[in-house]
Amino acid sequence: MHRSTASPTLPTGRTLGLSLALVSAFAFGGSGTAAKPLIEAGLSPLHVVWLRVTGAAVALLPIAYRHRDAVLRRPGLLIGFGLLAVAGVQACYFAAISRIPVGVALLIEYLGPPLLIGYVKFVQRKPIGRGAAIGAGVAVAGLACVVEVWNGLSFDALGVLFALGAACCQVGYFVLADAGRRGERPVDPLAVSAFGLLIGAVLLTVFTRPWQADWSTLGGSVVMNGHTLPALLPAAWMILIATVLAYLTGVIAVGHLSPPVAGVVANLEAVVATVLAWVLLGEHLGLPQIAGGLLVLTGAFAAQTGKPAAVEAVEAVDAGGAPDARDAPDSPDSPDSPDSPERVAAERQVSGRTSRTSRGD
């Protein structure tokens, strides 16, 4: 029965997850383009980050109130998400770019997907699909071209350490987003995003001291690629699209895709950011960046079109198990037996993925 129902359900869940992951990557990619005019108008980068996270947290207060029981059900998960996926990524990244070139910091931060694959395989001891592994490698190579890592290369041990911290926090984003749906007390992904941003806003308030900023800037105008526009326009885009929409769709997408696949697709954020900076800010886009963007797209395509590792395991058992099953039908310990632990574990992973992707929340 599982075989007959899993086949039509799994592609639907993956298609929805891929769509949401793409929306998230495109939304996240616009954050820098929206933030730059505000920074050029006089706000510090850290205060812009505080505005982004706190504004998003306020916008999601109704969702947080609706799912307030999540605080008692999974407090550790929510605190971890706010600490790592919100405050940690931002703080480590800005600390990194204060010491090393932005392109190098971005490349190291986006080593998150390969690190995530290593975490899932060696720490969680779960199988990894070939498509996700290949896609991660191709995407990282493309990112090196997108950020033109060879420009301004310099080594600063502390800066590199901060960038690696941002990459590890990015791993926490995907792992915790996936963990929210698991266990005996699952948490709605909307609640994970809402409370994560609230906790992140509180933590960033301690370090950024927003009361020292000149917030009158938001009542004036900013310049974007030679055009004057109200400062509230890029601020609203940064809060509602590049943060609220980006986090909500990203966390939900992880529930429909495996964390490694969602992580590889998220690499498109860097490509989107580069293209938007070219179109909206007039920043030059060179041939290496275009080639790198195509590589990232190729990596994301390879990751999401590859078969899940659990399906690969079942197919491998099916392909190699028939002759041995006939030779030793009474041997349940054989890996090719229908009742073997390996076969049962693989089918359970397929079944578990099917149940997760068929949920409408």
Side-chain angles (χ1 to χ4, degrees):
M1 294 298 292
H2 269 304
R3 296 282 181 85
S4 61
T5 57
S7 179
T9 304
L10 187 58
T12 301
R14 284 176 65 85
T15 300
L16 176 60
L18 175 62
S19 300
L20 292 173
L22 289 174
V23 170
S24 179
F26 274 77
F28 271 126
S31 61
T33 303
K36 188 169 183 176
L38 299 174
I39 295 172
E40 292 177 344
L43 288 176
S44 72
L46 284 179
H47 287 146
V48 171
V49 170
W50 179 88
L51 174 65
R52 174 188 179 186
V53 174
T54 304
V58 172
L60 292 178
L61 276 176
I63 293 178
Y65 179 78
R66 180 182 178 184
H67 296 281
R68 57 191 180 277
D69 62 317
V71 177
L72 299 177
R73 297 171 66 190
R74 302 285 292 277
L77 173 72
L78 301 181
I79 293 173
F81 192 85
L83 177 63
L84 297 177
V86 179
V89 171
Q90 304 291 343
C92 288
Y93 174 70
F94 277 100
I97 63 175
S98 69
R99 305 184 65 92
I100 60 178
V102 173
V104 177
L106 270 176
L107 179 64
I108 296 175
E109 178 186 349
Y110 279 94
L111 290 176
L115 291 176
L116 177 61
I117 288 176
Y119 176 85
V120 171
K121 183 174 181 61
F122 298 109
V123 178
Q124 294 185 335
R125 298 189 179 278
K126 296 179 181 179
I128 297 296
R130 288 188 297 270
I134 295 173
V138 173
V140 168
L143 283 169
C145 297
V146 170
V147 303
E148 295 185 331
V149 67
W150 51 85
N151 288 333
L153 275 176
S154 62
F155 182 78
D156 182 294
L158 191 56
V160 171
L161 187 63
F162 280 130
L164 284 173
C168 292
C169 288
Q170 191 183 65
V171 172
Y173 168 86
F174 293 104
V175 171
L176 292 173
D178 182 58
R181 285 179 174 255
R182 298 178 180 274
E184 298 178 355
R185 295 175 294 174
V187 178
D188 192 293
L190 299 181
V192 174
S193 298
F195 281 105
L197 286 166
L198 279 172
I199 294 169
V202 172
L203 294 172
L204 287 173
T205 298
V206 176
F207 293 101
T208 61
R209 301 177 182 178
W211 52 85
Q212 296 180 350
D214 181 13
W215 296 111
S216 63
T217 303
L218 296 178
S221 300
V222 296
V223 178
M224 178 179 285
N225 197 19
H227 301 283
T228 301
L229 65 158
L232 285 177
L233 186 59
W237 180 276
M238 180 180 65
I239 292 170
L240 299 177
I241 304 299
T243 310
V244 172
L245 179 64
Y247 270 98
L248 291 180
T249 53
V251 172
I252 296 174
V254 175
H256 292 281
L257 300 171
S258 67
V261 173
V264 175
V265 176
N267 278 334
L268 291 173
E269 176 189 341
V271 179
V272 173
T274 304
V275 173
L276 288 178
W278 177 34
V279 175
L280 299 179
L281 300 179
E283 296 184 356
H284 176 67
L285 191 64
L287 182 60
Q289 291 175 302
I290 296 175
L294 293 176
L295 281 176
V296 174
L297 290 172
T298 302
F301 178 79
Q304 64 87 22
T305 54
K307 295 179 181 179
V311 175
E312 291 179 355
V314 171
E315 290 183 349
V317 172
D318 287 340
D324 292 337
R326 285 193 300 266
D327 294 340
D330 297 326
S331 178
D333 293 331
S334 170
D336 296 324
S337 170
D339 297 325
S340 69
E342 292 86 349
R343 176 83 174 249
V344 171
E347 291 183 341
R348 281 180 179 173
Q349 289 190 44
V350 175
S351 175
R353 182 179 297 278
T354 302
S355 66
R356 290 202 305 278
T357 57
S358 62
R359 295 178 187 172
D361 57 351

